[in-house]
């Protein structure tokens, strides 16, 4: 048996208990049970990244190569794609957000709208996820504009940025919108009411499903879930504690993640999805899966380790009714552009991990059932009141 067939067979055995269920295509307005009412079953998603260089014109969102990426996603069994346009902050002490990233916002908007159309033409729903890029480096989760006045100024600029993309989402009939990504110092602190103001302004221009993508270790401290339809996490959980750990140890780690998902869903009475999951193509990738490919040197490329990472994480989740699905991080708008990351990067395209993804996409999940998410999913209890 080849390594690829071994990974696929193992996933098949681990997911054999996932229940079969009907699919629904109706998209209804958000409400107390917005995710259930929107229909469509579990999210089998791929993040389609932009081509992050003006040296590669004609290959980004909305291009002919991008249309091919959408066709490939549908053939693989995906039913959603995520698009990730960027805005820029100068540093981790930002004054505001510049919506221009490599090309003017107006041009980027048109490109994204074409990409949404390409996705819909291939039967794919679309999650739009505006990201922040920190020009001087650093993780966006550590942003700190300064005192209260500086935070208010930054929030006003950020609101303009996100509402701008919300208008794009409304015009292009995007299926779900994320109002932010990994904004730890904002949504887990006393500054959170400013973020709730952003959400309320977004709702004035966009009527579809709303989410926010917290980092995996911020989930329990994020206080804005009550104003959103779906809880979303960038799920780079460590599944193994040490180098050389066997697959069984990573599977146990995946089971712990599934328990965290259920607890979070119970706490807020909302389904949980993973805005990003991914493993780089290297040995021991499940120990610190968040490590960025460009920061690594002398890496041992290991496709089997990447595939086993997906297997271990998903094995405990696809039978969990509170789990709405996931987006794989990531493929690119031009599927053949190899300049975007190192060979040990996150992309699963053409690797053993793609076989595991395809097998998972084509199975029935607990989230596919008509009653997969409802108030009856959990025992009766009071809804989490939040802090604000």
């Amino acid at each position: 048996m080849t390594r690829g067939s071994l990974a696929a067979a193992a996933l098949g055995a681990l997911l054999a208990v996932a229940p079969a269920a009907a699919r629904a295509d109706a998209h209804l307005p958000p409400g107390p049970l917005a995710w259930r009412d929107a229909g469509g079953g579990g999210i089998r998603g791929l993040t389609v990244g932009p081509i992050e260089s003006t040296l590669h014109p004609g290959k980004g969102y909305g291009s002919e190569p991008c249309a091919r990426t959408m066709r490939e996603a549908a053939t693989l069994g995906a039913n959603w794609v995520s698009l990730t346009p960027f805005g820029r902050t100068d540093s981790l002490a930002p004054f505001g957000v510049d919506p221009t990233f490599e090309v003017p916002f107006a041009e980027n908007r048109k490109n994204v709208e074409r990409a949404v159309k390409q996705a819909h033409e291939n039967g794919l729903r679309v999650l739009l996820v505006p990201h922040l890029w920190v020009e001087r480096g650093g993780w966006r989760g550590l942003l700190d504009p300064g005192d209260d006045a500086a935070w208010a100024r930054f929030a006003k600029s950020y609101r303009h940025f996100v509402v701008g993309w919300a208008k794009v989402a409304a015009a292009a009939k995007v299926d779900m919108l994320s109002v932010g990504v990994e904004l730890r110092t904002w949504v887990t602190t006393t500054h959170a009411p400013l973020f709730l103001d952003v959400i309320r302004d977004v709702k004035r221009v966009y009527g579809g499903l709303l989410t926010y993508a917290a980092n995996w270790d911020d989930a329990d401290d994020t206080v804005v879930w009550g104003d959103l339809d779906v809880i979303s996490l960038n799920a780079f959980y460590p599944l193994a504690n040490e180098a050389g750990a066997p697959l069984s140890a990573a599977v146990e780690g995946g089971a712990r993640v599934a328990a965290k998902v259920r607890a979070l869903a119970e706490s807020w009475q909302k389904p949980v999805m993973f805005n990003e999951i991914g493993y780089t193509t290297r040995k021991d990738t499940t120990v610190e899966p968040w490590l960025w490919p460009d920061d690594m040197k002398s890496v041992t490329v290991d496709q089997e380790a990447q595939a086993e990472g997906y297997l271990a994480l998903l094995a405990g989740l696809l039978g969990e009714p509170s789990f709405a699905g996931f987006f794989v991080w990531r493929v690119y708008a031009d599927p053949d552009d190899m300049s975007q990351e190192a060979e040990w990067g996150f992309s699963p395209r053409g690797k053993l991990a793609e076989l595991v993804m395809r097998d998972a996409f084509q199975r029935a999940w607990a989230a596919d059932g008509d009653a997969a998410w409802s108030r009856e999913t959990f025992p009766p209890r009071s809804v989490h009141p939040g802090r604000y």
Side-chain angles (χ1 to χ4, degrees), residues 24-315:
D25 295 322
H27 182 92
L28 302 176
L33 298 175
W35 172 252
R36 185 201 67 183
D37 294 343
I43 294 173
R44 297 151 169 85
L46 286 174
T47 296
V48 178
I51 300 300
E52 296 169 358
S53 174
T54 54
L55 299 177
H56 300 272
K59 294 184 176 183
Y61 287 150
S63 66
E64 177 49 39
C66 184
R68 185 153 55 90
T69 292
M70 300 302 181
R71 291 193 294 269
E72 285 191 7
T75 299
L76 188 64
N79 59 2
W80 284 75
V81 292
S82 170
L83 303 179
T84 58
F86 282 85
R88 296 184 293 116
T89 66
D90 177 66
S91 70
L92 290 176
F95 185 88
V97 179
D98 184 348
T100 294
F101 187 80
E102 296 196 346
V103 298
F105 174 76
E107 181 179 348
N108 201 8
R109 170 183 180 143
K110 292 178 181 178
N111 293 340
V112 168
E113 287 177 339
R114 282 195 294 268
V116 173
K117 185 173 185 292
Q118 290 169 337
H120 285 163
E121 288 173 346
N122 283 279
L124 300 164
R125 294 189 178 191
V126 178
L127 167 66
L128 186 63
V129 188
H131 274 54
L132 289 184
W133 182 271
V134 182
E135 286 290 319
R136 298 189 192 179
W139 180 46
R140 65 183 71 86
L142 301 179
L143 289 170
D144 185 3
D147 59 21
D148 288 348
W151 267 103
R153 182 180 63 235
F154 172 74
K156 181 178 179 180
S157 179
Y158 183 85
R159 183 164 58 247
H160 178 75
F161 166 67
V162 173
V163 169
W165 281 112
K167 292 176 180 178
V168 174
K173 294 181 171 50
V174 162
D175 303 276
M176 187 175 354
L177 173 69
S178 177
V179 292
V181 179
E182 299 174 347
L183 299 174
R184 172 184 292 173
T185 53
W186 197 349
V187 300
T188 68
T189 70
T190 56
H191 301 296
L194 292 171
F195 198 80
L196 294 177
D197 290 340
V198 173
I199 295 172
R200 293 182 188 114
D201 282 354
V202 166
K203 288 179 177 179
R204 292 188 178 99
V205 299
Y206 175 72
L209 292 166
L210 286 180
T211 190
Y212 158 77
N215 204 49
W216 60 274
D217 55 351
D218 292 340
D220 293 335
D221 297 322
T222 298
V223 298
V224 300
W225 298 132
D227 280 39
L228 300 167
D229 301 310
V230 182
I231 294 170
S232 180
L233 307 176
N234 285 0
F236 297 98
Y237 293 89
L239 302 183
N241 296 323
E242 57 186 12
L247 173 59
S248 59
V251 170
E252 290 174 0
R256 290 191 294 271
V257 171
K260 291 178 183 293
V261 165
R262 184 170 181 83
L264 184 63
E266 283 184 328
S267 178
W268 287 94
Q269 294 290 290
K270 294 177 186 288
V272 176
M273 76 173 192
F274 288 168
N275 177 69
E276 297 174 13
I277 66 167
Y279 297 92
T280 46
T281 318
R282 61 181 174 88
K283 186 178 179 180
D284 298 317
T285 185
T286 59
V287 178
E288 295 178 297
W290 57 83
L291 294 180
W292 202 247
D294 294 348
D295 296 333
M296 304 177 199
K297 300 184 184 300
S298 302
V299 175
T300 299
V301 175
D302 191 334
Q303 289 194 28
E304 186 172 17
Q306 182 191 35
E308 289 182 348
Y310 283 103
L311 188 157
L313 180 65
L314 296 177

